[in-house]
Amino acid sequence: MFARNIVLSLLLLAPALCVGEELKPFVSDGCSLFPDGSFSEENLWFDCCYQHDLAYWRGGTYEERVQADKALQQCVAGVGEESLSFVMEAGVRVGGSPYWPTGFRWGYGWPYLRGYKALTDEETRQVEEVLEKLTTP
């Protein structure tokens, strides 16, 4: 019982211990475990997934994740795939939890078990540096 309590305490504290860590380089796998487009247009909604990956890599609060998932749904609907957009949104809601040990979880740019947390000023600075490099030729 004592050992179980220690393990539970460590699991609850682990996200707090990760704050201020070094941000990993941004990587995108497109739509992760989903196609990047249709048979006729292979990359039809790839840009939607790329932007979604940027948000997931950055991480942040639960509300920011909800906004990122909604933006993905709206983007995919905007390229003419409204029905599919809701399937994709449902998939990322289930599969993108920050507590899954995957490379496409919420906050995957930060160490595992960060959870939902607003970025500190230093973390925001790190994100902005990487984003600047991505947009600078």
Side-chain angles (χ1 to χ4, degrees):
M1 182 69 155
F2 178 73
R4 189 179 94 184
N5 289 341
I6 289 175
V7 170
L8 276 171
S9 297
L10 289 174
L11 286 174
L12 292 172
L13 289 174
L17 298 174
C18 293
V19 174
E21 293 287 334
E22 190 74 22
L23 180 63
K24 297 174 194 160
F26 173 70
V27 293
S28 173
D29 64 356
C31 298
S32 299
L33 302 175
F34 201 82
D36 294 333
S38 66
F39 289 117
S40 60
E41 286 187 67
E42 290 181 8
N43 292 309
L44 182 59
W45 50 81
F46 172 82
D47 289 336
C48 302
C49 294
Y50 183 85
Q51 292 303 315
H52 189 251
D53 282 354
L54 278 171
Y56 264 55
W57 163 79
R58 177 190 184 280
T61 65
Y62 176 80
E63 292 77 19
E64 289 171 310
R65 179 177 173 217
V66 170
Q67 290 172 359
D69 293 345
K70 188 49 123 177
L72 172 67
Q73 183 273 317
Q74 291 172 346
C75 184
V76 174
V79 298
E81 297 291 340
E82 189 166 356
S83 296
L84 186 62
S85 73
F86 292 107
V87 172
M88 291 176 75
E89 181 183 22
V92 296
R93 293 304 307 150
V94 171
S97 168
Y99 306 110
W100 295 125
T102 63
F104 49 82
R105 71 182 185 285
W106 178 251
Y108 70 85
W110 304 104
Y112 179 56
L113 286 180
R114 175 188 171 84
Y116 295 109
K117 282 192 179 51
L119 271 58
T120 65
D121 290 343
E122 169 58 22
E123 291 167 340
T124 300
R125 184 194 62 73
Q126 288 182 56
V127 167
E128 289 170 353
E129 279 183 11
V130 172
L131 293 178
E132 186 176 313
K133 289 176 187 173
L134 288 175
T135 58
T136 305

